[in-house]
Amino acid sequence: MNLQEYYDTIMQLSHGIVVTLDLDGVIIHGNSMLESLSGYSMQELAGKDWFETFIPAEQRADSRKEVLDKAGKKDISRISGSIRSRGGDKIYIDWNLKALTDSDSSTISILCVGQNVTEHMRRQNGLLRERFNLIERNKELNCLYEISKLGADGDLDLKETLRKIVNMLPSGFQNPDKTHVRLRIGNLCWETEGYHKTENVLVEPIESGADIRGSVTVSVEYAGPKRKGESVFLDDENELLVTTAQQIGLIVGKKEIKTARQELEQQLRQADRLAKIGQFSAGVAHEINEPLANILGYAQLALQTPELPEQVRMDLDNIVDSSLHAREIIKKIMFFSRQLPPQFIPTNLNQTIRDALRITETAAKRGNIETRCEFDEKLPLVSADPRHIKQVIVNLAANAIQAMDDGGVLTIKTLSDGDDVYIIVDDNGPGIHADDLKQIFNPFFTTKDVDKGTGLGLSVVLGIVKAHKGLIQVHSDYGQGTRFEIAIPCLQNNQSVE
């Protein structure tokens, strides 16, 4: 047997892949195992470039350099790689490389002996994929668990709960540092730091009950290769976002129900408290009214006595004034406790307001306050109780007069718009603090001295306006005056008086 036959016999008897390459990577020899795995015959492979035939274009240059570098060493070198068969299958091979030399010790070719490890690599890759999937699943389940804990935390309000959910959600995705989240609920919005929309986006609506309340958006920065139409998100990540949106919808519903229940309980407690105060106030008012009427009557009779000393007359005047003031307070209490129900009749608001301003006229002159009336003379009639409307104007005007210690201007306007008429009471006094503005309609709230106010005036005003199916708004900037606007429905031609 000559040397060539010996070499060919070893090539065929080898249980691995045997191939010989020249120093340019051209195939010289190959055994039947190479033919079997590659799908090519040796007649087709002989003379072809190994790297151009079996290695993908993007890996070709690196693979060629690695093989040729290893072949330059005297010892056997080991590398791992893969080739593409004729049918496109990927075959993993562990190679042993040995440079073949001539009699002058010059390298003339490279002997490559390889072992097919495709099945082993597939099993290993499968295990790696399973491990990766388990890690990702664990992250997602932990994220959902933390979200459910936030939803069950009764100490957090809704806004703080949703803010924490937004910051936590990226931890359930493959690359938390490249994952950004935006959550919208109505007009409110929460975002992770650095949020910006990319081409890789998942959006899920948030439903609470039968309503869509907002949406949650996940945006991922991804620079790796992907096929056209291929998503960078795992199926589990899609399910995570769907479940998270459902959880947020439940949390929003539960928190809103809890808030509404607390507000209702507060309103019921307040209503019960006011009802008891009203009953007590009505009883006190009735008890005081009779002796007060006697004091006022006797003082007025005493004033009619001829030739009274001046001091006695001044004292009696003070008694009458104080009694009238007390009677106004009692009247406010009666209004507050609903002891004076309105009697609706067609009412000319302009005339009713003029009558009311006569009561405050003296106080306005004493305080150097100019009262301006800007009435719409074509104002339609309203269904109202003139006594109650007078009480509204007197209370608002008296408050404005007392507020303008250094004088000022009190302006009262009437106008109509559509089916409503408007009363506007405007002053250029010191205005109302923002904190006080929230409480001015609460019963017994007052910023006046003890002997100057009961805190019932604006509460009575609000009750009267509501009884007339109207609305009242207040606008005030501290230091720039106060403006009250009252809207009352017009009396239509075909509408009966209640």
Side-chain angles (χ1 to χ4, degrees):
M1 180 183 291
N2 59 31
L3 184 61
Q4 182 63 43
E5 290 177 334
Y6 177 77
Y7 180 73
D8 289 342
T9 301
I10 291 180
M11 292 274 284
Q12 297 305 323
L13 292 177
S14 173
H15 294 292
I17 306 164
V18 181
V19 62
T20 305
L21 306 178
D22 69 13
L23 298 183
D24 294 324
V26 174
I27 301 170
I28 301 173
H29 297 289
N31 67 351
S32 59
M33 182 65 73
L34 174 62
E35 292 177 318
S36 175
L37 287 176
S38 69
Y40 295 98
S41 68
M42 278 309 303
Q43 290 179 343
E44 294 174 294
L45 291 176
K48 286 191 174 182
D49 187 287
W50 170 270
F51 301 98
E52 292 184 2
T53 305
F54 292 112
I55 308 299
E58 64 273 10
Q59 302 171 10
R60 197 169 292 158
D62 291 340
S63 180
R64 185 188 298 274
K65 183 177 185 303
E66 182 181 20
V67 169
L68 296 179
D69 286 348
K70 295 283 187 182
K73 299 178 181 179
K74 294 182 179 180
D75 298 329
I76 296 175
S77 301
R78 293 176 174 82
I79 63 172
S80 296
S82 63
I83 63 173
R84 287 287 179 185
S85 71
R86 189 171 202 164
D89 295 331
K90 192 173 187 179
I91 302 169
Y92 292 91
I93 302 173
D94 284 344
W95 292 103
N96 290 310
L97 308 181
K98 175 63 175 156
L100 300 179
T101 60
D102 58 13
S103 58
D104 296 329
S105 298
S106 299
T107 301
I108 57 173
S109 62
I110 307 166
L111 177 63
C112 309
V113 179
Q115 185 69 34
N116 182 4
V117 293
T118 302
E119 289 302 318
H120 171 73
M121 290 299 297
R122 285 175 180 169
R123 286 194 298 271
Q124 184 174 341
N125 288 340
L127 290 172
L128 289 174
R129 280 195 299 271
E130 286 297 323
R131 180 176 180 274
F132 172 78
N133 289 337
L134 286 173
I135 291 173
E136 292 303 313
R137 189 61 177 164
N138 183 62
K139 286 163 57 179
E140 293 156 11
L141 291 174
N142 185 65
C143 181
L144 288 175
Y145 172 68
E146 293 297 330
I147 289 174
S148 66
K149 280 174 58 180
L150 286 172
D153 191 342
D155 295 331
L156 292 177
D157 62 18
L158 180 59
K159 292 182 180 179
E160 181 65 13
T161 300
L162 296 180
R163 184 188 67 79
K164 289 194 172 187
I165 288 175
V166 166
N167 290 328
M168 182 183 299
L169 190 54
S171 66
F173 286 77
Q174 299 175 68
N175 301 298
D177 56 332
K178 296 182 180 180
T179 302
H180 303 286
V181 178
R182 168 186 282 172
L183 172 62
R184 288 188 182 277
I185 299 291
N187 295 324
L188 301 176
C189 179
W190 296 265
E191 295 177 350
T192 53
E193 186 177 355
Y195 173 87
H196 62 281
K197 207 165 185 179
T198 68
E199 62 178 7
N200 306 302
V201 172
L202 284 180
V203 181
E204 190 66 26
I206 294 173
E207 299 180 7
S208 181
D211 300 325
I212 295 179
R213 303 295 302 278
S215 64
V216 56
T217 303
V218 175
S219 177
V220 173
E221 301 173 23
Y222 183 78
K226 66 173 183 175
R227 297 174 186 172
K228 186 176 181 181
E230 182 183 15
S231 174
V232 302
F233 295 100
L234 302 175
D235 291 340
D236 284 347
E237 290 176 334
N238 282 274
E239 293 177 9
L240 170 63
L241 189 62
V242 170
T243 306
T244 299
Q246 293 171 349
Q247 288 286 331
I248 292 174
L250 291 173
I251 290 170
V252 169
K254 285 170 59 179
K255 293 282 186 181
E256 288 181 343
I257 290 172
K258 181 179 179 181
T259 301
R261 184 175 66 248
Q262 291 173 340
E263 291 177 353
L264 180 59
E265 290 173 351
Q266 179 64 26
Q267 291 172 2
L268 290 174
R269 285 194 293 268
Q270 181 73 0
D272 182 62
R273 189 181 300 117
L274 292 178
K276 290 177 180 176
I277 292 174
Q279 292 173 358
F280 174 75
S281 301
V284 171
H286 281 297
E287 292 295 328
I288 295 176
N289 210 24
E290 186 174 347
L292 183 63
N294 290 335
I295 293 171
L296 179 61
Y298 283 119
Q300 289 174 333
L301 286 174
L303 279 171
Q304 297 176 13
T305 304
E307 300 180 2
L308 278 175
E310 186 60 28
Q311 185 60 48
V312 174
R313 184 174 295 278
M314 289 175 60
D315 292 341
L316 288 172
D317 282 336
N318 286 334
I319 293 173
V320 170
D321 288 342
S322 297
S323 299
L324 289 173
H325 178 65
R327 190 170 68 176
E328 286 301 314
I329 293 174
I330 290 173
K331 190 181 293 185
K332 289 181 182 179
I333 293 175
M334 300 292 279
F335 273 114
F336 172 71
S337 60
R338 303 294 192 270
Q339 297 296 311
L340 296 175
Q343 303 295 322
F344 293 100
I345 61 172
T347 301
N348 183 325
L349 282 183
N350 290 341
Q351 187 57 47
T352 303
I353 294 171
R354 288 189 183 98
D355 294 341
L357 291 177
R358 292 193 185 99
I359 299 173
T360 61
E361 184 177 5
T362 302
K365 288 180 179 178
R366 190 184 305 124
N368 193 28
I369 293 167
E370 178 187 355
T371 302
R372 297 176 183 173
C373 295
E374 300 176 8
F375 294 156
D376 180 356
E377 297 302 334
K378 296 182 180 180
L379 201 69
L381 298 178
V382 297
S383 175
D385 185 326
R387 295 177 306 157
H388 287 210
I389 298 299
K390 285 180 185 177
Q391 187 69 40
V392 168
I393 301 302
V394 168
N395 285 351
L396 294 179
N399 284 348
I401 290 168
Q402 290 180 8
M404 293 185 284
D405 293 332
D406 300 325
V409 178
L410 171 63
T411 304
I412 301 180
K413 301 178 184 178
T414 60
L415 54 93
S416 62
D417 181 20
D419 295 334
D420 297 318
V421 296
Y422 293 86
I423 304 171
I424 299 171
V425 180
D426 199 351
D427 70 67
N428 60 353
I432 304 172
H433 279 290
D435 292 339
D436 294 338
L437 203 59
K438 303 173 185 177
Q439 308 181 67
I440 59 173
F441 291 110
N442 292 342
F444 305 108
F445 173 79
T446 181
T447 58
K448 301 174 185 176
D449 295 335
V450 175
D451 60 340
K452 291 188 178 180
T454 61
L456 286 175
L458 290 178
S459 176
V460 168
V461 167
L462 178 62
I464 292 173
V465 171
K466 286 186 175 180
H468 284 73
K469 298 182 180 178
L471 297 171
I472 183 169
Q473 289 184 324
V474 58
H475 308 275
S476 183
D477 292 322
Y478 191 67
Q480 299 183 21
T482 304
R483 175 188 179 96
F484 284 88
E485 297 178 0
I486 299 170
I488 299 176
C490 300
L491 180 62
Q492 305 297 326
N493 293 332
N494 59 350
Q495 182 180 357
S496 60
V497 177
E498 294 183 33

